[in-house]
Amino acid sequence: MIRFRYICLTIASAIIFALTSCNGTQTAENSTTPAANSSPQAATEAVSHSGHSSKKKININNAILSELDKFEGQLGVPALSNKIQASRPYGSPEDLVSKKVITQEQFDKIKEQVTTQEVVLTGEPKDVDYMTKLGLMKGHLLVAKELLDQNQPKKAEPHIGHPVEEIYVDVEDQLNERKVKEFKTSLVSLQDFVKSNPKSPKIKTDFTFSMQAVDGAVNALPADQRSQPRFVLQVINGLLDAANSEYTAAIANGKISAEIEYQDSRGFVNYADDLYKGISSKVAKDYPQESKGIEASIAELIKVWPSAIAPAKPVKTPEDVTKLVKTIEENSQKIIDSSSTST
């Protein structure tokens, strides 16, 4: 998918956080764009008063392209994600029809998933949001490193560009709040070197610094929080949700037609796997049954991306990947709910 994918972390991820947390507060607010048809009911549908909701809503005013890809897949409309983004802002979900982005018939199929409501995160959901954004950065950089190691600088460059061009702006306020030293400059420098002088030895230095900077930003969260299965599983679910959308967007007519999306999803899944390894012993001890389900599904997911260079034929269909991600989310949710009850 073209750049500017992570202008703002999608509302759908925020709803995952709302689903998985009773701690912290989520407040639905009107979008800065006037919403002619917004209502308290709409706000309640986006985030319920109890902090739980059975519906995932996507804010079409600021959702990342990988989330908008869900609509593209459901409706079978090529480049729909970009069309939705290009027609922003929207005063109400119905503007998708009035602006001729999709037809009324198409809108009726997705209207329960669409919102223009903003959600303000506090407490644990805000921390999950912060770490998920950093996780998306890390996933991009991990796959970029693989491609650089394979002497593929042109293929690596977009994955270095995405964190600085699409994600950093969305996490910048939180970085400042948490007193994290600015590292946008190093990301820009790294991208410039990969573009202009891919054989420069400075690339290795800048890359190492950038990875350490992202890790340092993650470490701004309390260590005990970063080691809690409840917290980490919420982040993993957010990363896998993004990976699922990217993988779906990568496949067309049974072929991998968009390699960048394939690579995006590989990076996100690999980082999610790294995060799970850090908590796997705790999960296995306290939740053995759920642990088996999660580990088995992650093992199957990893097989979908045999290398950073896309295979000639997809290992699994998007539907297969969705099932695996759903299994992980369901098992994770049992652990999260149990943790909520015991706290």
Side-chain angles (χ1 to χ4, degrees), residues 98-110:
S98 63
K99 291 188 174 188
K100 298 183 179 180
V101 178
I102 56 177
T103 66
Q104 182 65 51
E105 182 180 4
Q106 290 168 334
F107 177 72
D108 289 341
K109 294 179 181 179
I110 64 170

Side-chain angles (χ1 to χ4, degrees), residues 242-264:
N244 190 23
S245 295
E246 293 285 3
Y247 187 75
T248 299
I251 309 298
N253 300 318
K255 297 180 180 180
I256 298 174
S257 61
E259 191 174 42
I260 288 179
E261 280 84 351
Y262 164 89
Q263 291 161 347
D264 286 344

Side-chain angles (χ1 to χ4, degrees), residues 232-247:
V232 177
L233 286 170
Q234 293 178 70
V235 175
I236 288 172
N237 286 344
L239 293 172
L240 293 183
D241 189 58
N244 190 23
S245 295
E246 293 285 3
Y247 187 75

Side-chain angles (χ1 to χ4, degrees), residues 68-78 80 84 96 101-111 113-114:
L68 295 176
D69 283 342
K70 292 181 179 180
F71 298 145
E72 189 171 317
Q74 284 179 256
L75 300 178
V77 179
L80 178 58
I84 293 174
L96 285 171
V101 178
I102 56 177
T103 66
Q104 182 65 51
E105 182 180 4
Q106 290 168 334
F107 177 72
D108 289 341
K109 294 179 181 179
I110 64 170
K111 63 183 179 180
Q113 304 169 53
V114 180

Side-chain angles (χ1 to χ4, degrees), residues 237-294:
N237 286 344
L239 293 172
L240 293 183
D241 189 58
N244 190 23
S245 295
E246 293 285 3
Y247 187 75
T248 299
I251 309 298
N253 300 318
K255 297 180 180 180
I256 298 174
S257 61
E259 191 174 42
I260 288 179
E261 280 84 351
Y262 164 89
Q263 291 161 347
D264 286 344
S265 53
R266 173 182 171 85
F268 302 159
V269 168
N270 282 348
Y271 187 54
D273 181 41
D274 287 344
L275 289 177
Y276 188 73
K277 287 175 181 174
I279 61 169
S280 60
S281 60
K282 290 184 180 180
V283 175
K285 178 181 178 182
D286 297 333
Y287 306 94
Q289 184 174 345
E290 289 77 8
S291 172
K292 289 179 182 177
I294 293 172

Side-chain angles (χ1 to χ4, degrees), residues 5-271:
R5 184 165 321 176
Y6 298 106
I7 296 173
C8 182
L9 189 67
T10 179
I11 191 71
S13 295
I15 299 306
I16 290 175
F17 311 150
L19 278 166
T20 56
S21 177
C22 294
N23 299 334
T25 303
Q26 307 86 42
T27 305
E29 294 184 344
N30 287 335
S31 168
T32 53
T33 305
N37 296 328
S38 63
S39 66
Q41 180 181 0
T44 301
E45 287 178 349
V47 180
S48 71
H49 294 301
S50 64
H52 295 277
S53 172
S54 60
K55 299 178 181 179
K56 290 183 180 180
K57 295 267 187 172
I58 296 177
N59 188 333
I60 52 176
N61 277 325
N62 59 23
I64 59 177
L65 290 181
S66 62
E67 289 299 334
L68 295 176
D69 283 342
K70 292 181 179 180
F71 298 145
E72 189 171 317
Q74 284 179 256
L75 300 178
V77 179
L80 178 58
S81 304
N82 301 95
K83 293 176 185 176
I84 293 174
Q85 188 183 65
S87 297
R88 290 169 173 168
Y90 300 94
S92 70
E94 289 75 14
D95 282 355
L96 285 171
V97 178
S98 63
K99 291 188 174 188
K100 298 183 179 180
V101 178
I102 56 177
T103 66
Q104 182 65 51
E105 182 180 4
Q106 290 168 334
F107 177 72
D108 289 341
K109 294 179 181 179
I110 64 170
K111 63 183 179 180
E112 296 302 321
Q113 304 169 53
V114 180
T115 186
T116 53
Q117 295 286 330
E118 293 286 0
V119 171
V120 176
L121 301 174
T122 62
E124 185 181 69
K126 183 176 180 179
D127 292 342
V128 172
D129 171 74
Y130 171 75
M131 187 163 170
T132 302
K133 290 172 183 174
L134 294 173
L136 295 172
M137 281 192 186
K138 192 71 178 284
H140 277 301
L141 291 174
L142 286 172
V143 80
K145 180 65 166 55
E146 288 186 283
L147 292 165
L148 286 173
D149 289 345
Q150 295 176 36
N151 197 28
Q152 298 282 348
K154 288 185 178 180
K155 292 187 176 185
E157 187 274 323
H159 302 290
I160 297 168
H162 290 160
V164 65
E165 295 169 356
E166 302 163 1
I167 308 175
Y168 196 97
V169 65
D170 193 40
V171 77
E172 194 163 13
D173 286 346
Q174 288 212 55
L175 291 170
N176 292 334
E177 286 177 19
R178 299 169 193 274
K179 303 188 185 309
V180 174
K181 186 178 180 180
E182 180 270 338
F183 58 94
K184 181 178 180 180
T185 303
S186 66
L187 289 170
V188 172
S189 174
L190 175 60
Q191 183 183 17
D192 288 344
F193 271 113
V194 171
K195 281 182 179 179
S196 62
N197 190 6
K199 295 187 182 299
S200 171
K202 197 172 187 324
I203 289 177
K204 184 175 181 179
T205 302
D206 281 6
F207 195 94
T208 299
F209 181 84
S210 296
M211 292 287 272
Q212 290 174 344
V214 176
D215 289 337
V218 170
N219 291 340
L221 293 167
D224 61 341
Q225 184 179 37
R226 288 183 278 113
S227 63
Q228 288 178 3
R230 164 196 171 80
F231 178 79
V232 177
L233 286 170
Q234 293 178 70
V235 175
I236 288 172
N237 286 344
L239 293 172
L240 293 183
D241 189 58
N244 190 23
S245 295
E246 293 285 3
Y247 187 75
T248 299
I251 309 298
N253 300 318
K255 297 180 180 180
I256 298 174
S257 61
E259 191 174 42
I260 288 179
E261 280 84 351
Y262 164 89
Q263 291 161 347
D264 286 344
S265 53
R266 173 182 171 85
F268 302 159
V269 168
N270 282 348
Y271 187 54

